[in-house]
Amino acid sequence: MKRIYLALLSLVLVFAATGCGDKKEEEKTVSVQEDLVEFVNDELPAIETYRSTAVNSYNAYFVSEDVDTAMFLSDLQSTMIPNMEAYITELTAVEVATEDVAALKDLYLQAAEKQCEAMRQVATAISEQDPQYLEQADTLIEEAQSLITQYESQLKILAIDNDVQINGSFE
């Protein structure tokens, strides 16, 4: 009788343990379509100001041939690089749910990191008056552009495959 009682008690405890405690919420399955829309149409535009401020400020110095290098260095250090770093931090924090969108995000993040590093190399070139750093910056910019091209191609494929309308345009 004692054995039966212990067996029943064990069963009750097993069922009680499965019924109690933290109930996990059912994990919502997110489709690539939903994830892509969230990432490209919501998440990226929310942090775009950082990137556009940095890139537009950087590009503005190459409109004319007369560049005030002291001002350029100051803007690199005070505006452009900090904005790119903030963008990278925010982009890194964006959560995605699918492998396809994670791969897309990774391409874009790599491009942003290379752009930021290129800006750092330009700042170092000006500070140290060493053109070798400019060559490194040019290489990084080319690599970043290649990654952006890959990102755009991958985005277009995912958008078409998942019937997604992308807001905005490609730069």
Side-chain angles (χ1 to χ4, degrees):
M1 186 71 163
K2 198 173 188 179
R3 286 178 139 176
I4 295 174
Y5 177 72
L6 288 173
L8 287 173
L9 183 59
S10 296
L11 282 174
V12 168
L13 290 173
V14 167
F15 288 119
T18 58
C20 295
D22 295 333
K23 291 187 179 183
K24 292 183 180 178
E25 291 181 30
E26 287 187 30
E27 290 185 24
K28 180 183 173 191
T29 303
V30 177
S31 69
V32 172
Q33 181 186 45
E34 293 168 317
D35 201 24
L36 186 61
V37 167
E38 176 75 19
F39 178 66
V40 177
N41 290 350
D42 297 332
E43 299 289 349
L44 287 183
I47 62 173
E48 176 58 23
T49 302
Y50 292 118
R51 190 194 71 77
S52 62
T53 298
V55 171
N56 292 340
S57 297
Y58 183 87
N59 289 337
Y61 276 94
F62 298 97
V63 174
S64 70
E65 292 195 21
D66 296 327
V67 175
D68 180 345
T69 55
M71 180 62 90
F72 186 34
L73 178 60
S74 175
D75 284 348
L76 276 163
Q77 294 170 332
S78 67
T79 303
M80 298 172 210
I81 294 170
N83 272 285
M84 282 304 292
E85 290 170 342
Y87 184 71
I88 290 166
T89 299
E90 294 291 324
L91 182 56
T92 301
V94 170
E95 293 183 18
V96 294
T98 61
E99 289 181 24
D100 288 337
V101 178
L104 189 67
K105 174 189 165 188
D106 188 54
L107 281 173
Y108 203 62
L109 180 58
Q110 288 178 50
E113 289 169 338
K114 288 193 182 283
Q115 288 174 325
C116 187
E117 184 56 32
M119 290 178 185
R120 288 186 193 108
Q121 294 294 323
V122 171
T124 302
I126 294 169
S127 296
E128 297 184 13
Q129 297 182 351
D130 187 343
Q132 278 188 315
Y133 289 103
L134 291 177
E135 292 171 17
Q136 292 171 7
D138 285 342
T139 300
L140 288 164
I141 290 169
E142 288 172 13
E143 291 171 0
Q145 188 55 50
S146 175
L147 288 165
I148 289 170
T149 300
Q150 290 175 45
Y151 165 84
E152 290 172 350
S153 296
Q154 206 49 38
L155 174 58
K156 287 176 185 175
I157 291 168
L158 282 175
I160 290 167
D161 289 350
N162 293 282
D163 194 30
V164 172
Q165 175 68 38
I166 303 299
N167 295 335
S169 62
F170 297 107
E171 292 182 10

